[in-house]
């Protein structure tokens, strides 16, 4: 479709990605890490990156009006806060960033393309980029954490994975574990995958609950994802799990610990994690086979009250029309427990 001379949400998402990539590159070039860079230098690098990258967006549209000039200032504020939150999250653990915009396939890819076997033995080859890869090295292993930056709301969802709507992060992790040793310089082991939302949160007085505003604001950025429940991994992800006893919860991810030491939230055993990555790979193969077989049926999904049709630019080509007998697929609601019952073989139910 014809591009309109304006800034849309996906454009802002691309800018946030580019700025965070530029920030990490500059920080690394200066010999700094998330833990050692000062807040002042982090803010300076962030602003310089935006000043460099923003004019190149959409034929300099961000320089065209006073309203867009104000938007640039808002982008700076949002990105500065996101960078400081990312810095504080990294200070909570022992992981170090080892890659930014790590590419699979293509001419400038850091790693080989992702190869998936489809039903019938055909191969599907995928290219892509991981926004950020962090690693924690211990005893010859490199525990890997993958982060995907999002400008919109995105929650890690087991039902969405089951239905094939959210496979990207698990496919990236699965592929990185097989080929990422050249980057981690140790045998890659899964630590977790996360969505980090770049946003401008507002907190209410009721959200404080006796805490300082900055602390409440920091918790708004808690990442949604899935981690391996290995104790070594959890302690490296967040120092809060170093405590030998007592109920605790992480402020940087959706994982906690009960008084009796049981891990709660989005944490699973390594066996379950491996099984879920295998399921994601098989599901991607099934989807690829349908594409290869020429399945172009008009059956968009209606899930959680939303559909791809809500933002698709090709409605005039697709011609989806309920009046002509077209129907959206309504997916049954599933709990996480129900997903595991479907994904795990019966004999693995104890994992």
């Amino acid at each position: 479709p014809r591009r309109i001379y304006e800034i849309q949400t996906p454009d802002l998402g691309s800018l946030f990605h580019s700025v965070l990539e530029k920030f990490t590159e500059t920080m690394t070039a200066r010999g700094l890490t998330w833990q050692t860079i000062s807040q002042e230098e982090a803010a300076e690098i962030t602003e310089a990156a935006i000043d460099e990258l923003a004019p190149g967006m959409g034929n300099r549209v961000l320089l065209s009006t006073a309203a867009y000039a104000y938007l640039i200032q808002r982008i700076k504020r949002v990105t500065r806060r996101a960078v400081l939150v990312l810095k504080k999250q990294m200070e909570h653990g022992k992981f170090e960033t080892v890659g930014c915009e790590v590419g699979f396939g293509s001419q400038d890819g850091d790693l080989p393309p992702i190869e998936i076997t489809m039903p019938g033995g055909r191969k599907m080859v995928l290219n892509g980029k991981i926004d950020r890869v962090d690693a924690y090295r211990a005893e010859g292993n490199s525990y890997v954490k993958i982060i995907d930056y999002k400008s919109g709301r995105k929650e890690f969802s087991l039902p969405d994975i089951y239905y094939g709507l959210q496979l990207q992060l698990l496919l990236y992790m699965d592929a990185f574990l097989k080929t990422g040793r050249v980057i981690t310089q140790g045998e890659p082991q899964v630590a977790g995958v996360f969505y980090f939302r770049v946003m401008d949160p507002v907190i209410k007085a009721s959200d404080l609950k006796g805490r300082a505003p900055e602390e409440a604001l920091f918790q708004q950025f808690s990442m949604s994802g899935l981690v391996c429940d290995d104790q070594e991994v959890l302690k490296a992800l967040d120092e809060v799990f170093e405590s030998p006893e007592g109920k605790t919860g992480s402020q940087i991810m959706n994982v906690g610990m009960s008084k009796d030491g049981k891990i709660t939230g989005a944490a699973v055993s390594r066996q379950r994690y491996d099984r879920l990555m295998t399921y994601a790979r098989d599901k991607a193969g099934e989807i690829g086979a349908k594409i290869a077989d020429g399945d172009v049926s008009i059956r968009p999904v209606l899930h959680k009250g939303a559909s791809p049709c809500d933002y698709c630019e090709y409605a005039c080509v697709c011609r989806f029309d309920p009046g002509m007998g077209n129907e959206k697929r309504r997916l049954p609601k599933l709990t996480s427990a129900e997903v595991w019952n479907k994904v795990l073989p019966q004999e693995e139910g104890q994992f």
Side-chain angles (χ1 to χ4, degrees):
R2 182 169 63 91
R3 293 284 294 170
I4 307 298
Y5 190 61
E6 63 180 5
I7 291 294
Q8 298 179 337
T9 300
D11 300 314
L12 292 178
S14 297
L15 179 59
F16 286 134
H17 275 78
S18 298
V19 170
L20 290 171
E21 179 186 8
K22 183 71 175 180
F23 173 88
T24 307
E25 288 176 352
T26 304
M27 178 178 66
T28 303
R30 294 185 183 182
L32 300 170
T33 67
W34 289 102
Q35 289 87 346
T36 60
I37 191 171
S38 68
Q39 292 190 12
E40 293 74 21
E41 192 166 4
E44 175 258 311
I45 294 174
T46 303
E47 292 213 19
I50 295 173
D51 288 338
E52 176 184 341
L53 297 170
M57 286 192 62
N59 294 318
R60 303 177 68 84
V61 65
L62 282 175
L63 305 181
S64 62
T65 67
Y68 280 138
Y70 169 76
L71 179 60
I72 289 180
Q73 296 307 310
R74 181 171 177 266
I75 290 171
K76 286 184 176 181
R77 184 183 76 248
V78 172
T79 313
R80 280 198 306 267
R81 182 177 293 280
V83 165
L84 293 180
V85 168
L86 288 166
K87 170 178 166 57
K88 188 173 180 180
Q89 288 181 345
M90 291 294 279
E91 289 172 343
H92 273 240
K94 303 173 185 176
F95 278 75
E96 297 282 354
T97 296
V98 295
C100 196
E101 294 294 314
V102 176
F104 290 96
S106 71
Q107 291 183 346
D108 59 347
D110 304 280
L111 298 171
I114 301 172
E115 188 173 284
I116 294 174
T117 302
M118 298 184 291
R122 293 174 294 180
K123 301 290 185 181
M124 177 170 66
V125 177
L126 303 176
N127 298 335
K129 284 188 176 181
I130 303 174
D131 289 343
R132 199 178 95 204
V133 179
D134 298 339
Y136 165 63
R137 299 182 179 91
E139 299 179 358
N141 292 319
S142 289
Y143 298 100
V144 176
K145 174 176 66 173
I146 287 177
I147 294 179
D148 191 21
Y149 298 130
K150 293 294 182 185
S151 55
R153 183 176 296 279
K154 186 74 171 181
E155 300 290 332
F156 188 89
S157 167
L158 286 174
D160 284 3
I161 292 168
Y162 177 76
Y163 287 123
L165 304 177
Q166 195 183 107
L167 303 177
Q168 183 183 19
L169 280 183
L170 290 176
L171 291 178
Y172 282 170
M173 177 61 81
D174 181 62
F176 192 92
L177 294 181
K178 295 172 180 173
T179 61
R181 187 183 178 94
V182 294
I183 293 177
T184 61
Q185 299 177 358
E187 192 63 35
Q189 300 286 340
V190 63
V193 296
F194 300 96
Y195 292 112
F196 176 87
R197 187 181 179 192
V198 181
M199 59 178 176
D200 193 13
V202 175
I203 57 172
K204 304 175 184 177
S206 57
D207 295 329
L208 296 178
K209 299 177 181 177
R211 298 174 297 175
E214 281 301 317
E215 183 182 351
L217 203 59
F218 177 66
Q219 195 159 8
Q220 294 281 327
F221 285 89
S222 177
M223 295 184 292
S224 175
L226 185 70
V227 306
C228 176
D229 66 2
D230 183 284
Q231 287 290 334
E232 184 75 19
V233 169
L234 292 172
K235 291 176 182 178
L237 285 169
D238 192 343
E239 61 187 7
V240 73
F241 294 107
E242 295 278 3
S243 176
E245 56 184 25
K247 181 180 179 180
T248 188
S250 173
Q251 288 188 311
I252 67 175
M253 57 187 179
N254 47 342
V255 179
M257 181 185 293
S258 63
K259 290 182 178 180
D260 60 1
K262 182 179 179 182
I263 302 300
T264 60
V268 297
S269 67
R270 194 170 300 280
Q271 293 94 331
R272 282 200 173 197
Y273 219 121
D274 289 342
R275 179 56 194 155
L276 192 63
M277 288 190 291
T278 299
Y279 177 85
R281 188 172 63 248
D282 292 345
K283 191 69 175 180
E286 292 176 15
I287 295 171
K290 290 181 180 180
I291 296 173
D293 290 340
D295 184 353
V296 293
S297 54
I298 307 173
R299 298 183 64 225
V301 164
L302 181 63
H303 187 49
K304 299 177 182 177
S307 168
C309 298
D310 298 338
Y311 50 83
C312 180
E313 297 179 324
Y314 295 92
C316 59
V317 178
C318 170
R319 305 295 292 273
F320 177 86
D321 185 353
M324 297 298 291
N326 300 136
E327 293 184 355
K328 294 180 180 179
R329 288 182 292 148
R330 298 178 181 271
L331 303 178
K333 291 183 178 180
L334 294 174
T335 65
S336 295
E338 288 172 330
V339 171
W340 285 119
N341 286 336
K342 292 175 179 291
V343 170
L344 293 174
Q346 285 300 116
E347 63 271 17
E348 295 185 10
Q350 71 272 21
F351 293 140

